[in-house]
């Protein structure tokens, strides 16, 4: 078992949507910031890692299971744990609980370390990961494979200034936000997301032109994000239609 860290928060106005439910894309960014606070307490914050090793953390995949989305002004507990690692990958979970202790959301995140200058993946230094008390494993966990999309609906957009994070490329939360938006307001207000996975293939830089591609099926949607003829992200979402009571 890895070293656990948790925080409580009451959902503010700017973290919920028109249905008064948690905005998942921005919440992923919040969870990363929370894990960063744990790292800082362990002397392994982003600044220390960059100054000592010239490395930065990058998320390659998310797998997220949703039982229920917390609502406006609801108090939740976010608990995170770096559960395991191998030569190149580190695996961290985030569990979100309500005030009764019921699990609402479980997030599994895949991380790698990259050289800031070369942008190449580097092996995980043992002394860097030791304070997290994560288990070292030989097996490399692989995220699910995605199939190519045919007859997808496409939308064009331009990367804006606020889409870029301190690493100089589009923030991970934006890819998921674009996937959401490709489904449209009517669909999003009549369906509940129950599970999704997303794979980040390649970074997108400032002022790029982006194409979102989506195929909607009966209970799922498949997504791709392209720029300059290259695939940059893939995603899969599972949905259920809301009943008349909004459940």
């Amino acid at each position: 078992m890895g070293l656990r860290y948790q925080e409580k928060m009451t959902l503010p106005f700017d973290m919920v949507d028109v249905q008064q439910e948690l905005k998942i894309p921005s919440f992923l960014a919040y969870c990363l910031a929370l894990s960063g606070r744990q790292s800082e307490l362990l002397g392994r914050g982003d600044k220390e890692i960059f100054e000592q090793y010239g490395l930065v953390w990058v998320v390659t995949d998310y797998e997220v299971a949703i039982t229920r989305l917390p609502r406006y002004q609801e108090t939740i507990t976010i608990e995170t744990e770096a559960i395991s690692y191998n030569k190149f990958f580190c695996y961290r979970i985030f569990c979100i609980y309500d005030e009764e202790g019921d699990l609402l959301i479980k997030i599994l995140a895949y991380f790698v370390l990259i050289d800031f200058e070369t942008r190449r993946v580097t092996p995980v230094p043992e002394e860097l990961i030791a304070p997290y008390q994560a288990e070292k494993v030989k097996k490399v966990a692989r995220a699910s494979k995605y199939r190519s999309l045919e007859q997808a609906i496409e939308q064009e957009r331009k990367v804006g200034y606020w889409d870029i994070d301190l690493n100089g490329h589009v923030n991970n939360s934006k890819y998921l936000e674009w996937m959401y938006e490709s489904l449209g307001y009517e669909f999003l207000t009549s369906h509940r997301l129950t599970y999704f996975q997303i794979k980040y293939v390649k970074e997108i830089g400032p002022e790029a032109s982006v194409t979102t591609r989506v195929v909607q099926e009966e209970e799922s949607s498949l997504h791709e994000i392209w720029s300059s003829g290259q695939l940059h992200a893939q995603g899969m979402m599972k949905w259920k239609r809301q009943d008349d009571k909004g459940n």
Side-chain angles (χ1 to χ4, degrees), residues 66-84:
I66 303 168
T67 301
R68 177 179 71 81
L69 290 175
R71 299 181 61 81
Y72 175 50
Q73 292 192 331
E74 182 174 357
T75 299
I76 58 175
T77 298
I78 309 166
E79 183 176 85
T80 186
E81 173 189 353
I83 55 173
S84 62

Side-chain angles (χ1 to χ4, degrees), residues 166-234:
L166 58 81
N167 290 322
H169 55 74
V170 173
N171 186 271
N172 284 348
S173 65
K174 287 296 178 179
Y175 295 78
L176 182 60
E177 184 178 306
W178 295 340
M179 291 178 184
Y180 261 89
E181 291 176 350
S182 70
L183 295 165
Y185 185 87
E186 183 177 349
F187 180 89
L188 294 173
T189 52
S190 61
H191 290 77
R192 284 280 192 273
L193 184 64
T194 61
Y195 175 87
F196 73 88
Q197 55 193 48
I198 182 170
K199 181 178 184 63
Y200 301 100
V201 180
K202 186 176 177 61
E203 298 170 346
I204 298 178
E207 299 187 343
S209 295
V210 172
T211 301
T212 62
R213 306 183 74 240
V214 59
V215 172
Q216 287 184 247
E217 300 180 340
E218 186 173 351
E219 296 181 343
S220 64
S221 58
L222 304 174
H223 302 261
E224 291 178 347
I225 293 177
W226 290 74
S227 182
S228 300
Q230 291 187 310
L231 177 65
H232 286 259
Q234 295 171 286

Side-chain angles (χ1 to χ4, degrees), residues 42-54:
L42 297 173
R44 295 294 187 269
D46 291 342
K47 183 179 179 181
E48 289 82 2
I49 292 175
F50 179 74
E51 290 179 348
Q52 293 179 34
Y53 300 92

Side-chain angles (χ1 to χ4, degrees), residues 18-234:
V18 68
Q19 300 183 95
Q20 300 189 35
E21 293 181 330
L22 178 70
K23 294 178 182 177
I24 286 288
S26 57
F27 185 66
L28 287 182
Y30 183 90
C31 286
L32 288 185
L34 183 146
S35 67
R37 290 192 284 277
Q38 180 191 30
S39 295
E40 289 171 1
L41 290 173
L42 297 173
R44 295 294 187 269
D46 291 342
K47 183 179 179 181
E48 289 82 2
I49 292 175
F50 179 74
E51 290 179 348
Q52 293 179 34
Y53 300 92
L55 303 176
V56 294
W57 287 109
V58 172
V59 177
T60 64
D61 299 84
Y62 282 115
E63 298 177 23
V64 181
I66 303 168
T67 301
R68 177 179 71 81
L69 290 175
R71 299 181 61 81
Y72 175 50
Q73 292 192 331
E74 182 174 357
T75 299
I76 58 175
T77 298
I78 309 166
E79 183 176 85
T80 186
E81 173 189 353
I83 55 173
S84 62
Y85 72 101
N86 52 49
K87 184 177 181 180
F88 290 105
F89 285 89
C90 297
Y91 306 95
R92 177 182 283 274
I93 59 171
F94 299 85
C95 293
I96 291 78
Y97 301 95
D98 64 14
E99 291 187 279
E100 285 70 46
D102 294 326
L103 180 64
L104 303 182
I105 305 170
K106 185 173 183 178
I107 303 167
L108 172 62
Y110 297 56
F111 289 83
V112 295
L113 283 164
I114 66 170
D115 185 288
F116 183 78
E117 297 297 332
T118 66
R119 314 307 290 179
R120 292 181 178 177
V121 176
T122 66
V124 178
E126 294 282 347
E127 69 276 11
L128 189 155
I129 206 72
Y132 296 95
Q133 302 176 24
E135 179 187 5
K136 185 175 183 179
V137 295
K138 292 183 179 180
K139 186 177 181 180
V140 178
R142 299 290 187 184
S144 301
K145 293 184 177 180
Y146 299 80
R147 61 181 171 87
S148 298
L149 302 188
E150 298 179 1
Q151 298 181 331
I153 297 174
E154 297 186 354
Q155 298 176 9
E156 304 292 327
R157 64 173 63 237
K158 190 83 171 177
V159 173
Y161 177 81
W162 300 113
D163 297 333
I164 304 298
D165 63 20
L166 58 81
N167 290 322
H169 55 74
V170 173
N171 186 271
N172 284 348
S173 65
K174 287 296 178 179
Y175 295 78
L176 182 60
E177 184 178 306
W178 295 340
M179 291 178 184
Y180 261 89
E181 291 176 350
S182 70
L183 295 165
Y185 185 87
E186 183 177 349
F187 180 89
L188 294 173
T189 52
S190 61
H191 290 77
R192 284 280 192 273
L193 184 64
T194 61
Y195 175 87
F196 73 88
Q197 55 193 48
I198 182 170
K199 181 178 184 63
Y200 301 100
V201 180
K202 186 176 177 61
E203 298 170 346
I204 298 178
E207 299 187 343
S209 295
V210 172
T211 301
T212 62
R213 306 183 74 240
V214 59
V215 172
Q216 287 184 247
E217 300 180 340
E218 186 173 351
E219 296 181 343
S220 64
S221 58
L222 304 174
H223 302 261
E224 291 178 347
I225 293 177
W226 290 74
S227 182
S228 300
Q230 291 187 310
L231 177 65
H232 286 259
Q234 295 171 286

